[in-house]
């Protein structure tokens, strides 16, 4: 995203227009501030974050599996 | 789950593919599953490339005993439209078509190149991803839609 695109998207998420899908998502319970934080990252940074989360999950799954056996 | 190594293997193997599932996190979503969903071209040449790219990671059917006989080759791919596999790098689903979007040509037309995982990765665009989730209709897919729709609306020109 260009800085302008990011600012426009962030503003829409901070102040959803009445009747918008963003407003509906907010009412549904989506934390829009977390989406803004995600959009602040580049796709590559989001991908790296996903990789890190996957590794942590794999580690905990391994611990849980060893405890069961 | 090693998303990067799986995607790099497909990309470096010049496989015609697109990432189509819960890797929407790359679009900005927070929803992600720890598996890779991929749609691929069913051309004979591409089936061969896909087999070669994944073979080093020992793909096998997911949810079955590891010693179940399984042949990873082009015929196996040709005879299945959906293959749910485990590999040494994590789980991967290979899809000949995507609900709500279509077969490879439609998926390809609705994928965009994203710089991620140290490659140019074709990823299903947000609007098509939303259609696929709506068509899949599982509770976890439907639950992701409000967030994806707000991202789409936020990013619209």
């Amino acid at each position: 995203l260009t800085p302008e695109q990011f600012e426009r998207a962030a503003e829409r998420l901070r102040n959803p227009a009445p009747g918008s899908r963003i407003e509906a998502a907010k009412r549904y319970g989506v934390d829009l501030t977390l989406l803004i934080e995600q959009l602040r990252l580049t796709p590559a940074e989001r991908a790296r974050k996903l990789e890190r989360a996957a590794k942590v999950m794999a580690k905990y799954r391994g611990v849980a599996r060893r405890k069961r056996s | 789950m090693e998303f990067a190594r799986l995607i790099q293997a497909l990309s470096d193997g010049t496989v015609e593919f697109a990432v189509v599932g819960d890797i929407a996190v790359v679009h900005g979503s927070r929803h992600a599953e720890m598996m890779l969903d991929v749609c691929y071209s069913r051309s004979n040449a591409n089936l061969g490339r896909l087999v070669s790219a994944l073979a080093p990671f020992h793909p096998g059917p997911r949810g079955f005993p590891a010693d179940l006989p399984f042949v990873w080759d082009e015929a196996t791919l040709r005879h299945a439209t959906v293959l749910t596999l485990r590999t040494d790098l994590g789980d991967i689903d290979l899809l000949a078509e995507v609900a709500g979007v279509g077969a490879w040509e439609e998926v390809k037309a609705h994928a965009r190149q994203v710089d991620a995982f140290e490659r140019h990765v074709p990823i299903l665009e947000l609007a098509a991803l939303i259609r696929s989730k709506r068509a899949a209709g599982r509770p976890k897919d439907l639950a992701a839609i409000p967030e994806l729709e707000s991202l789409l609306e936020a990013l619209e020109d």
Side-chain angles (χ1 to χ4, degrees):
Chain A
L1 296 181
T2 64
E4 294 75 25
Q5 287 171 324
F6 170 75
E7 276 311 320
R8 187 176 56 207
E11 178 55 28
R12 287 174 180 170
L13 291 165
R14 273 187 219 108
N15 298 300
S20 65
R21 284 171 287 171
I22 297 174
E23 189 196 46
K26 189 177 181 180
R27 272 192 273 110
Y28 179 77
V30 175
D31 186 340
L32 300 173
T33 61
L34 294 178
L35 292 188
I36 296 171
E37 291 314 305
Q38 280 288 91
L39 289 179
R40 209 182 285 282
L41 306 175
T42 64
E45 288 168 334
R46 293 173 209 148
R48 278 196 288 276
K49 198 171 157 187
L50 176 65
E51 282 273 302
R52 285 197 297 272
K55 280 182 181 145
V56 169
M57 191 174 282
K59 187 177 157 189
Y60 282 116
R61 277 184 181 157
V63 169
R65 208 175 296 123
R66 281 194 296 278
K67 277 192 172 176
R68 278 199 303 272
S69 61
Chain B
M1 180 72 214
E2 297 191 51
F3 289 106
R5 286 185 64 198
L6 266 176
I7 287 172
Q8 288 164 6
L10 295 173
S11 186
D12 296 349
T14 65
V15 177
E16 279 190 279
F17 75 101
V19 177
V20 297
D22 283 317
I23 205 162
V25 67
V26 174
H27 285 302
S29 168
R30 294 171 309 108
H31 282 273
E33 284 217 347
M34 295 304 150
M35 73 163 64
L36 189 61
D37 290 347
V38 158
C39 181
Y40 59 100
S41 160
R42 304 272 286 172
S43 72
N44 286 338
N46 198 54
L47 296 185
R49 291 193 289 263
L50 182 51
V51 166
S52 300
L54 292 185
F57 311 112
H58 310 106
R62 195 161 71 240
F64 291 92
D67 56 358
L68 183 81
F70 177 75
V71 180
W72 174 241
D73 65 6
E74 293 164 42
T76 298
L77 275 176
R78 197 172 295 115
H79 292 119
T81 52
V82 179
L83 270 177
T84 58
L85 303 173
R86 49 162 177 71
T87 75
D88 298 344
L89 301 179
D91 295 342
I92 182 169
D93 287 357
L94 300 178
L95 312 171
E97 58 186 59
V98 177
V101 182
W104 168 245
E105 290 302 326
E106 286 78 30
V107 169
K108 184 181 172 187
H110 290 98
R112 67 183 180 98
Q113 298 285 331
V114 173
D115 286 334
F117 304 106
E118 296 170 34
R119 299 290 184 278
H120 298 298
V121 186
I123 293 183
L124 194 62
E125 64 189 17
L126 257 179
L129 181 65
I130 292 167
R131 287 204 303 280
S132 76
K133 296 228 163 254
R134 192 163 280 126
R138 296 170 299 185
K140 65 171 189 167
D141 294 306
L142 298 177
I145 289 176
E147 182 178 288
L148 295 174
E149 284 192 324
S150 39
L151 270 175
L152 183 66
E153 192 171 68
L155 295 168
E156 273 169 358
D157 288 331

